[in-house]
Amino acid sequence: MGEDNMGAKEKGPEDDDAFHNLMGPIISSIFTGSAIILKSSENTAWSSNYFTSIARASLSTCGHSPQLIQSLNCWPHTANHLTSHPGINHITFIGSRPVAHAVCASAAKSLTPLCVELGGKDPAIILDDVRDMDKVASILMRGLFGSAGQNCIGIERIIAFPKAYVKLVNILEPRVRSLRVGSPLDDDGVDVGAMISDTQFDRLESLIADAVSQGARLLVGGKRYTHPKYPRGHFFAPTLLIDVLPSMRIAQEELFAPICLLMRASSVSDALEIANSTSYALGASVFGTSKRELEAVVSGVKAGMVSVNDFAAYYAVQLPFGGVGGSGYGRFAGEEGLRSICNTKSVCRDRFPRLMGTSIPKALDYPIRNARKGWEVCMGIVLLGYGEKTSRRLGGLWRVIRNS
C-alpha cells in the first residue's frame, strides 16, 4: 500500500446513512491497496469521526497502520484544496447536485476521476396483481420512513395501479398516523427520529401546501413536529399525501424526509411515464405477480438499480451502486465498484518464450525490400488472426509463408 495510491471520499450533508457511506469506500480502498481520506459534511462530523475510529482500530488489530485512513473536517470553501489536489487518485462524492458541480469542477483541475452519487426520487410501482398488499405495505413503510426518510435510495413516490391504489390508501393511512416521533436514545417506543437539520422544513411545508392547492389530499402530517421533551429538535411529522400528480413540484424534487407520496397509474406505460418524469434516476422498486409486467417495468424504468418485489435489496447484497442522469455517474460496491478505483494495466507477454518469440518477418523488416510482398504479409497476418472461417485463416497463413 503505497503513498501514491490515494483516494478521497466526500459525504454530502443530506445523506444520513453515514455508516454505509463511510465504511463502503474505506473497505474498497483498503482491499485495492490504497489509502483513503474521508471528508464528511460539517453536519455529520461527529458520527463520521466516530465510524472512522472503528475502521482505524480494526486495521491496528490486524497489524496494519491506522494511518491508511484519514478523516478530515472542514468548511465547504476549504474542501476545494482537497478535491483539486494532484496527490488524490480518485474521488467518490455522495451528496447534492449543486455541491457535485463544485466538486467536479475542482477535481477537473487535476483531472481526478470521480464517482458521483447525487440522491434520487425513487419510485415504487405497485401492480394490481399484488397477492399480499399488507406485506408490500410493510416493505414500503420501511423504504419511506427508515432514518426519517433520509436515505438516498429511500422510496419517494408510490405509483399504484387503480385497485392497488385504493388498498394502499386504506392500509397506509392508519399506519402512518400511528408512527411515533421522538428520540430512540431515551425511548424504545419510537418509529421516526429527528432529521439531521431543520434547514429544509420551510421548503417541505411549502411543497406540501403547493400540492394541496393543486388538488392533492393531505391525510396525515404535513408540517414540522414540536416534540414535548425536545421542542428544539429537528422533527418532521410523518406525512401521507395522496392524489399527487407528476406536474406538482413535490413530485419532481427530492424530499429526503418522512413523506409518503401516493400517485395513480392506469397501466405499465403510464406508470413508467410517471416514474421517468423526474431528472433523477437512482433506484426503483416494482411489486406484482405478472412476470411480463414486472420485466416491462425493470426494462423501462430509468434507474441504476431495481428491486423486484423488494426494497433496495441490491443495497444489502452489495451489487454495484449508483445511478444515471441527475443521480450521478459511476459505481461503488460490487466488483465494478472495486475496479472503478483501480488503474487497469494491460500486460502482454509470450506464452512460451523459449519455444516461440516475437520476430519481424523479413518482408516487413526495415528498410523494406519489397513493398508488395510486405503488404501481402500484412494481409496474411490479419486473415490468420481474424479470418471468420478456417479456410480464410489457412489462406492467411499461406500468404505469410509465401511472401516471407
Side-chain angles (χ1 to χ4, degrees):
M1 298 179 181
E3 294 179 355
D4 58 334
N5 292 328
M6 184 72 72
K9 189 266 178 196
E10 285 217 357
K11 177 181 178 293
E14 64 276 3
D15 201 321
D16 194 43
D17 195 5
F19 187 80
H20 172 267
N21 289 336
L22 280 174
M23 286 301 179
I26 286 176
I27 293 170
S28 296
S29 295
I30 296 302
F31 273 73
T32 52
S34 301
I36 185 170
I37 300 172
L38 298 149
K39 189 277 171 189
S40 64
S41 163
E42 60 275 12
N43 291 318
T44 60
W46 182 88
S47 60
S48 297
N49 285 332
Y50 178 74
F51 295 145
T52 301
S53 71
I54 296 174
R56 289 166 63 93
S58 299
L59 282 178
S60 296
T61 301
C62 295
H64 301 295
S65 173
Q67 302 304 318
L68 289 168
I69 304 172
Q70 298 293 328
S71 182
L72 173 68
N73 299 117
C74 65
W75 295 109
H77 65 273
T78 310
N80 181 63
H81 177 74
L82 175 66
T83 52
S84 63
H85 198 284
I88 301 298
N89 295 104
H90 184 277
I91 295 174
T92 297
F93 173 79
I94 301 174
S96 68
R97 199 183 308 182
V99 179
H101 285 299
V103 172
C104 292
S106 177
K109 297 175 184 176
S110 54
L111 298 179
T112 303
L114 295 101
C115 172
V116 180
E117 192 268 279
L118 306 179
K121 191 70 177 172
D122 290 13
I125 297 174
I126 319 298
L127 307 179
D128 267 341
D129 61 357
V130 168
R131 290 172 181 168
D132 189 340
M133 194 62 74
D134 287 311
K135 177 181 176 180
V136 170
S138 293
I139 297 173
L140 295 174
M141 291 288 288
R142 292 296 306 177
L144 288 158
F145 298 106
S147 298
Q150 299 167 113
N151 184 351
C152 56
I153 53 167
I155 296 173
E156 291 251 343
R157 298 171 293 160
I158 298 177
I159 303 169
F161 280 34
K163 294 178 182 177
Y165 189 95
V166 175
K167 293 178 183 178
L168 280 173
V169 171
N170 293 331
I171 295 173
L172 290 176
E173 182 177 4
R175 294 191 66 170
V176 175
R177 195 179 298 279
S178 65
L179 291 175
R180 300 157 296 181
V181 179
S183 171
L185 296 177
D186 60 4
D187 186 352
D188 291 336
V190 168
D191 301 301
V192 180
M195 295 183 67
I196 198 168
S197 168
D198 62 356
T199 56
Q200 298 294 319
F201 285 4
D202 287 342
R203 182 181 73 91
L204 294 174
E205 290 176 345
S206 174
L207 288 172
I208 292 169
D210 177 66
V212 171
S213 71
Q214 296 183 58
R217 289 191 290 154
L218 179 63
L219 300 187
V220 184
K223 60 184 179 180
R224 67 196 73 196
Y225 173 72
T226 302
H227 195 282
K229 189 174 181 180
Y230 305 105
R232 298 178 65 183
H234 305 151
F235 299 100
F236 199 89
T239 297
L240 175 60
L241 188 66
I242 70 171
D243 297 345
V244 175
L245 301 176
S247 58
M248 297 175 180
R249 284 178 56 212
I250 200 168
Q252 296 295 316
E253 298 182 18
E254 184 179 27
L255 303 179
F256 223 74
I259 298 174
C260 172
L261 306 181
L262 197 54
M263 309 174 73
R264 298 177 188 270
S266 58
S267 63
V268 169
S269 59
D270 186 31
L272 288 173
E273 184 176 354
I274 296 170
N276 296 336
S277 65
T278 76
S279 61
Y280 294 99
L282 187 59
S285 302
V286 57
F287 297 83
T289 303
S290 168
K291 185 176 181 180
R292 180 181 60 82
E293 291 190 329
L294 290 172
E295 291 306 312
V297 171
V298 170
S299 177
V301 70
K302 293 180 181 177
M305 304 162 289
V306 184
S307 284
V308 178
N309 287 316
D310 205 341
F311 158 69
Y314 45 79
Y315 186 77
V317 298
Q318 288 292 285
L319 291 177
F321 189 99
V324 295
S327 290
Y329 55 86
R331 296 292 183 269
F332 57 88
E335 205 172 298
E336 290 79 0
L338 288 175
R339 291 188 182 279
S340 72
I341 55 174
C342 295
N343 290 320
T344 301
K345 180 183 290 184
S346 299
V347 179
C348 187
R349 57 169 58 95
D350 293 325
R351 180 173 293 181
F352 306 108
R354 294 185 180 181
L355 299 176
M356 183 183 301
T358 299
S359 61
I360 304 298
K362 288 183 179 181
L364 299 177
D365 198 10
Y366 286 114
I368 301 295
R369 299 174 185 177
N370 187 315
R372 186 173 185 81
K373 283 191 173 184
W375 174 250
E376 288 294 321
V377 169
C378 287
M379 285 293 294
I381 291 173
V382 171
L383 288 172
L384 178 62
Y386 302 102
E388 65 275 16
K389 296 180 180 179
T390 302
S391 59
R392 295 269 285 173
R393 293 180 181 177
L394 290 175
L397 177 60
W398 175 242
R399 270 188 169 183
V400 173
I401 295 172
R402 186 180 60 186
N403 291 283
S404 294

